Amino acid sequence: MILQQHRSFLWILVVLPLLVSANLFAASATDDATALVQRTAEKILKTLEARRAEVERKPALIYGMVEDIVAPHFDFERITQGALGQAWRQASPDQQRQLVTGFKQVLIRTYARSLLSYSGEEIRYLPSKPGGRSGTVTVSTEVQQSGTAPITVDYRMHNGSGAWRVYDVVISDASLVSNYRNSFANEIRQSGIDGLISKLNEMNQQGRD
């Protein structure tokens, strides 16, 4: 399953809204990105805490919380386009729309489930740096899990239309987008683009059951 192959990547996404420090960025432009992350972190955690009793009775409620609070700060079209690579250009506009919708829901549902199991792993903040392209930044961190070596996590963000959004996560030098690209390419070779769309829809249906 595509999801099983990337569970470690998706688990670490839960840490994203918690990576907040007023001193992470020196330039004012990246200060805006930090402020966005901080507001998002505070809102999702406060909302979850306030509604924890409801969520424990009906866990599916957390999907809507993540959709409303966290999802707007991810560039799902760019993430999906990167994960498909050259195959993105082979897809029709309608197929592209379905791919973005399906992949977005896979990420949201996995993020939401991970959020429920987050247990306060220690995070070390490293100096941020400009991204490889204009209007991008990379936030570097280390996540310390008990009894294991720190996991290096880089968050790549870009500023499009005046708003910072996440477009990739790199864990121990392995890119989430690149890793999914391999799985998506295999699925497309076997079943075509429509086959990948069906696989994403199947995964999301299983998450609703």
Side-chain angles (χ1 to χ4, degrees):
M1 292 290 292
I2 294 173
L3 182 57
Q4 292 174 336
Q5 295 172 358
H6 305 281
R7 189 171 299 278
S8 61
F9 279 99
L10 272 293
W11 174 88
I12 207 68
L13 285 176
V14 74
V15 180
L16 174 65
L18 307 177
L19 302 179
V20 180
S21 171
N23 297 319
L24 275 175
F25 299 102
S28 60
T30 48
D31 282 340
D32 292 338
T34 304
L36 173 63
V37 173
Q38 184 171 8
R39 289 194 303 272
T40 303
E42 291 175 350
K43 188 170 184 180
I44 188 64
L45 294 176
K46 287 181 179 179
T47 302
L48 176 60
E49 186 61 28
R51 302 184 62 187
R52 185 169 292 277
E54 292 179 74
V55 172
E56 288 178 354
R57 291 194 300 269
K58 189 176 181 181
L61 289 174
I62 197 170
Y63 298 146
M65 293 161 54
V66 173
E67 175 86 44
D68 293 341
I69 298 171
V70 179
H73 308 303
F74 283 78
D75 188 342
F76 290 104
E77 181 170 343
R78 182 163 173 172
I79 291 171
T80 306
Q81 183 174 350
L84 264 78
Q86 294 182 350
W88 176 259
R89 294 192 294 271
Q90 301 169 12
S92 69
D94 183 61
Q95 287 175 321
Q96 291 176 351
R97 179 188 58 77
Q98 293 183 68
L99 287 164
V100 172
T101 299
F103 193 27
K104 173 183 177 180
Q105 291 305 311
V106 166
L107 295 177
I108 285 176
R109 289 178 178 278
T110 307
Y111 177 97
R113 290 191 294 269
S114 298
L115 183 61
L116 289 175
S117 63
Y118 179 73
S119 57
E121 285 75 12
E122 181 183 353
I123 302 168
R124 180 187 176 203
Y125 304 101
L126 304 177
S128 63
K129 53 185 180 292
R133 298 181 180 179
S134 176
T136 65
V137 296
T138 298
V139 179
S140 298
T141 67
E142 289 181 350
V143 180
Q144 180 65 64
Q145 295 178 277
S146 178
T148 64
I151 301 172
T152 301
V153 184
D154 291 343
Y155 297 92
R156 294 175 177 172
M157 303 177 71
H158 77 102
N159 192 323
S161 302
W164 288 101
R165 292 193 292 171
V166 177
Y167 69 91
D168 197 8
V169 182
V170 181
I171 303 174
S172 299
D173 297 323
S175 161
L176 170 69
V177 167
S178 296
N179 206 326
Y180 264 107
R181 187 180 300 141
N182 294 330
S183 292
F184 284 3
N186 289 335
E187 189 69 36
I188 290 171
R189 278 195 295 270
Q190 294 176 15
S191 306
I193 291 174
D194 285 334
L196 176 57
I197 292 172
S198 295
K199 174 64 69 173
L200 294 172
N201 290 339
E202 176 186 336
M203 292 163 63
N204 287 319
Q205 183 60 50
Q206 290 174 350
R208 286 189 287 268
D209 295 338

